[in-house]
Amino acid sequence: QGEFTFSLSTSASEDANVTVMNMMGEKVRQMKLPTNKLSEVSLDLPSGLYMISAETPSGRYTTKITITK
């Protein structure tokens, strides 16, 4: 099980719709997390490269993470 801290800074505190996708574009996890606050996230996914996309009323933010076991 992989754990990481998620933080997204925006001009206003709002909820972000966070989607984790594998490299084939399939959604493997979806959650709602607050912005401007640290959130602990646990993922029980196979090793590999994943995309995390966070969408708020202010815009969309995307990054890659690597899970290794």
Side-chain angles (χ1 to χ4, degrees), residues 4-66:
F4 63 95
T5 302
F6 176 87
S7 177
L8 178 62
S9 297
T10 59
S11 58
S13 292
E14 52 198 358
D15 285 336
N17 292 313
V18 179
T19 304
V20 180
M21 295 170 286
N22 62 22
M23 293 312 289
M24 292 180 288
E26 300 168 329
K27 291 181 185 178
V28 294
R29 178 92 188 266
Q30 202 159 13
M31 62 201 105
K32 188 173 282 200
L33 298 173
T35 61
N36 302 318
K37 181 179 176 186
L38 292 176
S39 299
E40 295 292 326
V41 177
S42 295
L43 296 175
D44 188 16
L45 297 171
S47 296
L49 189 61
Y50 293 85
M51 298 291 294
I52 295 180
S53 176
E55 190 170 346
T56 70
S58 305
R60 180 180 295 193
Y61 310 89
T62 303
T63 190
K64 293 179 187 176
I65 62 167
T66 302

